[in-house]
Amino acid sequence: MGLLSSKNKEVLLGPLSTNNPVIVQMLGICSALAVTSKLEPSIVMGISVTAVVAFANVIISLLRNTIPNRIRIIVQLVVVAALVTIVSEVLKAFAYDVNKQLSVFVGLIITNCILMGRLEAFALGNGPWESFLDGIGNGLGYALILVIVGFFRELLGSGTLLGFQVIPQAFYDFGYVNNGLMILPPMALIVIAVIIWVHRSKNKELQEN
Amino acid sequence: MEEYLSTFVRSIFVDNMIFAYYLGMCSFLAVSKNVKTALGLGMAVTFILVCTLPINYMLENYILKEGAMSWLGAEYAGVNLSFLSLIIFIAIIASFTQLVEMVVEKFAPALYASLGIFLPLIAVNCAILGGSLFMQQRAFPNVGVATVYGLGSGIGWMLAIVGMAAIREKLAYSDIPKPLKGLGITFIITGLMGMAFMCFSGLKI
């Protein structure tokens, strides 16, 4: 099998749309909602989760034949917790402000269902290279949703992107007002619901009856 | 006494795990299809929160925090193990979940059968680890307050999931645009419920 055969391509690209972890598999929703009030933490969170899920997938995939079935959840949690600790220390050292904004949600990557879901569903039954691609794909699918939600919430809620003012002052002079509701938690849910709505009207096979 | 009461009420309404922090959303969305299982899962989550928070509180304050080990002797006063807290917390939670699973399986097989797969999945419920991490962040004054916080968060979570399940049972009869059915409409309802819960956020208790 080549490094990027058609099956591997599907493994890598599927999670970006038709098999997206957040809006189709319903995994990792907690953090997708909580950190997206600004674009920057969304991007950092997306990168962190991608890194953790890719490496956790590789490690578990290498260990998959030696882990006893009964205690596999604890083994998985320990591997993930170790990786998350590394990510959390790196963030504290190099991106302290963002780390402050993310607060407990860096630690909560451990219980992000994407990790457990992919480890259980994919890494336990596939080789390290496929697992790595699967991790990258799912991480990017997750990051994609986070970035879309973060983009709209920051744009409409604060009129900025990555901290820069994008809505010109002239608009405000004419009476345009930032929609403060967008920054508050409930709007994240509604933005995701709209993404799901658009996505499912494009992909009819995903609709529920 | 007042402190216990205010922590309790705050953790149920103001700092509701689901509507204020979105913790435990995955199982909240997946298990809220009927009221009975929702209630069972809510009780299991509350129980694990009440059990693990005091344990993690003790570990945090007597072993992990900077200077926490000074009770062992002056030479340990400078030890700071707080980078280990994530691993320790999740290990406690996972092993406790496994323990509860075994106890329930042995002594209450009927309850075990009705909870099924959700019991082991509690270990990865963000609300549980979230409880421990918030406990670490907020620095509660004593172990009693931490326990009350666990109880309150658990009840708040249970309230939310049972309410959601009740609404979803009724939704089966309503006419929803096809692409919104299922997951989409659930998100919107959670958002609306979250807005309703926001009215508690001004409460000063």
Side-chain angles (χ1 to χ4, degrees):
Chain A
M1 197 169 1
L3 282 187
L4 271 180
S5 62
S6 61
K7 178 176 163 277
N8 283 354
K9 218 179 207 165
E10 174 59 31
V11 165
L12 181 64
L13 298 179
L16 289 182
S17 169
T18 51
N19 199 17
N20 190 287
V22 179
I23 59 178
V24 180
Q25 302 177 51
M26 262 211 275
L27 297 174
I29 295 163
C30 325
S31 49
L33 298 165
V35 300
T36 49
S37 62
K38 290 264 185 314
L39 190 54
E40 195 188 359
S42 320
I43 295 175
V44 172
M45 189 70 180
I47 296 172
S48 314
V49 170
T50 309
V52 173
V53 78
F55 288 109
N57 256 355
V58 171
I59 294 174
I60 292 295
S61 163
L62 288 171
L63 293 175
R64 69 183 188 279
N65 295 324
T66 55
I67 303 174
N69 201 30
R70 277 198 72 87
I71 59 159
R72 68 177 194 284
I73 290 193
I74 296 185
V75 174
Q76 288 164 358
L77 281 176
V78 170
V79 168
V80 173
L83 286 167
V84 171
T85 307
I86 296 173
V87 167
S88 147
E89 298 290 315
V90 168
L91 281 183
K92 264 184 207 149
F94 294 104
Y96 191 72
D97 291 341
V98 180
N99 187 57
K100 264 247 140 65
Q101 286 179 46
L102 291 173
S103 75
V104 299
F105 290 98
V106 178
L108 286 174
I109 297 177
I110 298 176
T111 49
N112 194 317
C113 331
I114 292 185
L115 284 155
M116 293 306 280
R118 293 329 291 172
L119 293 178
E120 284 279 303
F122 201 90
L124 280 177
N126 289 282
W129 174 246
E130 286 93 344
S131 301
F132 180 70
L133 289 180
D134 181 74
I136 294 279
N138 277 287
L140 289 179
Y142 170 83
L144 180 71
I145 299 296
L146 252 70
V147 168
I148 296 176
V149 178
F151 175 82
F152 282 110
R153 284 182 75 189
E154 185 170 358
L155 181 67
L156 299 176
S158 330
T160 56
L161 281 179
L162 291 171
F164 298 107
Q165 191 71 31
V166 281
I167 299 208
Q169 188 59 38
F171 279 38
Y172 292 102
D173 297 341
F174 279 115
Y176 176 85
V177 183
N178 285 329
N179 184 352
L181 191 59
M182 289 303 282
I183 304 186
L184 296 171
M187 281 316 282
L189 289 154
I190 302 209
V191 172
I192 293 199
V194 172
I195 296 176
I196 292 174
W197 193 352
V198 172
H199 186 250
R200 293 206 173 168
S201 41
K202 292 254 187 302
N203 298 278
K204 293 228 165 15
E205 72 278 4
L206 293 173
Q207 293 175 5
E208 293 169 43
N209 289 311
Chain B
M1 194 59 223
E2 199 182 319
E3 196 171 20
Y4 291 94
L5 202 65
S6 80
T7 309
F8 184 66
V9 176
R10 278 193 69 89
S11 56
I12 295 182
F13 294 108
V14 184
D15 296 334
N16 187 291
M17 279 285 180
I18 288 187
F19 297 126
Y21 298 106
Y22 307 122
L23 296 178
M25 280 304 273
C26 310
S27 37
F28 174 75
L29 293 171
V31 186
S32 59
K33 282 190 180 124
N34 77 64
V35 174
K36 228 175 148 191
T37 35
L39 193 65
L41 184 71
M43 287 200 282
V45 166
T46 312
F47 181 69
I48 307 257
L49 263 172
V50 172
C51 297
T52 54
L53 261 176
I55 300 180
N56 283 343
Y57 183 87
M58 303 274 218
L59 283 169
E60 161 79 8
N61 282 288
Y62 293 107
I63 295 182
L64 296 171
K65 224 164 56 179
E66 188 170 8
M69 286 218 279
S70 48
W71 57 275
L72 269 179
E75 66 270 34
Y76 293 101
V79 182
N80 180 5
L81 292 177
S82 53
F83 65 93
L84 279 178
S85 54
L86 286 179
I87 295 187
I88 303 262
F89 286 173
I90 198 69
I92 292 282
I93 290 168
S95 44
F96 216 92
T97 317
Q98 204 106 47
L99 196 75
V100 168
E101 193 191 343
M102 285 193 277
V103 170
V104 172
E105 190 178 8
K106 181 98 173 114
F107 295 106
L111 180 66
Y112 181 77
S114 71
L115 280 177
I117 178 76
F118 304 123
L119 211 46
L121 280 185
I122 292 174
V124 287
N125 188 322
C126 337
I128 314 266
L129 183 62
S132 287
L133 292 177
F134 279 127
M135 173 272 292
Q136 189 182 27
Q137 208 180 41
R138 288 180 197 167
F140 290 121
N142 60 49
V143 70
V145 177
T147 317
V148 167
Y149 175 73
L151 181 67
S153 317
I155 292 178
W157 198 85
M158 184 164 78
L159 212 68
I161 193 171
V162 171
M164 189 68 199
I167 294 179
R168 280 182 81 172
E169 279 187 354
K170 292 276 176 289
L171 266 189
Y173 307 105
S174 44
D175 187 20
I176 303 163
K178 262 201 144 190
L180 260 185
K181 256 190 189 160
L183 193 53
I185 196 73
T186 314
F187 268 103
I188 292 187
I189 293 171
T190 317
L192 294 177
M193 284 168 84
M195 282 185 205
F197 260 73
M198 268 166 52
C199 70
F200 289 116
S201 65
L203 279 184
K204 288 265 180 298
I205 315 169

